[in-house]
Amino acid sequence: MQTLTQWHQQGAYFEYRKHTIFYQEIPSEKPLLVLLHGFPTASWDWWKIWPTLSRHFHLLAPDFIGFGFSDKPRNYQYSLVDQTDLVQELLSQKKINEYHILAHDYGVSVAQELLARQLEAKNTSKGSIQSVCFLNGGLFPAAHQPRPIQKALISPLGFLLTPFLSRAMLAKNFAQIFGPETQASDQEIDEFFSLIQEKSGKYIFHKLIRYMADRKQFADRWKNALLKSKMPMRLINGPEDPVSGRHLAEHYQKIVPKADVVLLDKIGHYPQTEAPELVIKHFLAFHQ
């Protein structure tokens, strides 16, 4: 078992807009897989499936700016479009030509923006997407059901709440979004909260949460990216998730032509943490 400290020590950094961005990588001659994490955590989310995936792919997983071990500037305009620029800058520095995507939660919107840019034939020098696999995430604002804490943070008074964000509050909210039989352990909650606390990250939560407004602003653009993209796509979904679970999967099946959807029975919002073996099984089957 790898520890969070080891994950940090084995990672690397690159510069993006004069800020230091953490990323994890296992280089190889195999196809490249870019892993895009969710809110409010970081690339550490992938650690349970990382070793197995490394036998099949060259892995690359950044911590978005404002998350995990990356810089968390207080005076910064956080947006999903900017996070997409960050990913493309990393791909450019690595001279990546082709890549696959595995995205969760917040990261699914970055994946959709990458798809949209590819459809527009912009930034073609930044790499070509070969396939996309989504985990639970707000692919469609109409099917996204934010938690009360998210609604409070995005309100005009959200900044007043950030000093009071605590481990207990995180544990309570995660208990509601994980599956009833696959709850996060105390150690996992400690690790998640440690990532949030890193570089006083909780004090920018009211800025990071603006991603929900981004999703509404770009709803049509990102929906069209799903409808018009021709590469293989799969949704692996934990249906017990109240935020983007079964209702999201059903909406996806109605909207996306020939939708490829896998439901993981009794699993919630973090499939890669709750059921890593099943995620590996269905993700590799998708690629085979």
Side-chain angles (χ1 to χ4, degrees):
M1 174 180 173
Q2 191 174 38
T3 67
L4 180 57
T5 299
Q6 290 171 330
W7 181 265
H8 188 198
Q9 291 171 343
Q10 293 167 8
Y13 289 89
F14 75 103
E15 186 174 292
Y16 174 71
R17 297 189 175 175
K18 298 182 180 180
H19 294 291
T20 302
I21 305 302
F22 176 84
Y23 68 94
Q24 191 64 259
E25 182 178 21
I26 298 184
S28 75
E29 297 302 315
K30 300 179 179 68
L32 180 81
L33 176 64
V34 178
L35 300 98
L36 304 174
H37 70 80
F39 176 94
T41 44
S43 61
W44 172 245
D45 292 357
W46 306 111
W47 79 269
K48 287 185 178 180
I49 62 175
W50 192 257
T52 303
L53 287 179
S54 71
R55 298 200 290 267
H56 302 270
F57 298 94
H58 169 173
L59 300 179
L60 187 63
D63 283 2
F64 293 122
I65 188 167
F67 293 81
F69 296 114
S70 291
D71 281 354
K72 300 174 179 177
R74 298 280 184 99
N75 186 22
Y76 194 85
Q77 192 69 35
Y78 293 95
S79 74
L80 289 164
V81 170
D82 181 64
Q83 303 286 17
T84 309
D85 291 343
L86 180 152
V87 172
Q88 289 195 312
E89 175 60 26
L90 177 58
L91 293 172
S92 178
Q93 290 191 22
K94 293 289 181 180
K95 296 180 171 55
I96 301 301
N97 295 318
E98 296 181 347
Y99 63 101
H100 303 267
I101 296 175
L102 175 59
H104 174 238
D105 187 68
Y106 185 94
V108 306
S109 299
V110 175
Q112 285 174 283
E113 175 60 19
L114 286 166
L115 288 171
R117 293 182 186 189
Q118 183 156 303
L119 283 170
E120 293 170 346
K122 292 181 179 179
N123 300 308
T124 51
S125 63
K126 302 292 179 69
S128 174
I129 304 166
Q130 303 301 297
S131 74
V132 182
C133 184
F134 301 108
L135 302 180
N136 295 54
L139 291 162
F140 307 100
H144 184 245
Q145 298 177 2
R147 307 304 296 162
I149 183 65
Q150 293 175 303
K151 294 178 181 179
L153 282 167
I154 203 171
S155 74
L157 298 178
F159 71 96
L160 296 174
L161 184 62
T162 57
F164 302 100
L165 295 173
S166 64
R167 183 196 180 281
M169 188 179 294
L170 180 71
K172 178 182 178 181
N173 279 280
F174 271 34
Q176 294 169 346
I177 64 173
F178 274 61
E181 298 177 15
T182 51
Q183 289 286 296
S185 67
D186 287 342
Q187 180 181 342
E188 287 173 328
I189 294 296
D190 287 342
E191 291 164 345
F192 287 138
F193 192 62
S194 172
L195 289 163
I196 292 168
Q197 287 280 75
E198 185 78 21
K199 300 182 182 179
S200 301
K202 72 178 184 178
Y203 294 101
I204 60 168
F205 258 39
H206 62 294
K207 294 188 174 185
L208 295 178
I209 201 72
R210 298 302 304 173
Y211 76 87
M212 293 198 298
D214 292 345
R215 282 176 171 169
K216 291 180 180 178
Q217 178 182 351
F218 297 106
D220 290 341
R221 172 180 173 81
W222 293 345
K223 175 182 174 181
N224 287 334
L226 293 178
L227 299 182
K228 296 180 180 179
S229 294
K230 301 302 182 182
M231 77 281 297
M233 291 189 292
R234 169 171 282 187
L235 170 64
I236 300 175
N237 183 266
E240 296 300 319
D241 172 19
V243 180
S244 50
R246 187 182 303 276
H247 60 284
L248 179 280
E250 291 173 349
H251 192 75
Y252 183 93
Q253 287 177 307
K254 291 177 183 177
I255 298 294
V256 177
K258 299 180 180 179
D260 179 355
V261 177
V262 177
L263 293 177
L264 305 182
D265 189 40
K266 299 181 180 180
I267 303 304
H269 185 70
Y270 272 80
Q272 72 274 40
T273 298
E274 300 177 55
E277 296 86 359
L278 287 176
V279 170
I280 286 286
K281 173 186 173 182
H282 293 293
F283 180 73
L284 292 182
F286 167 62
H287 277 272
Q288 291 166 358

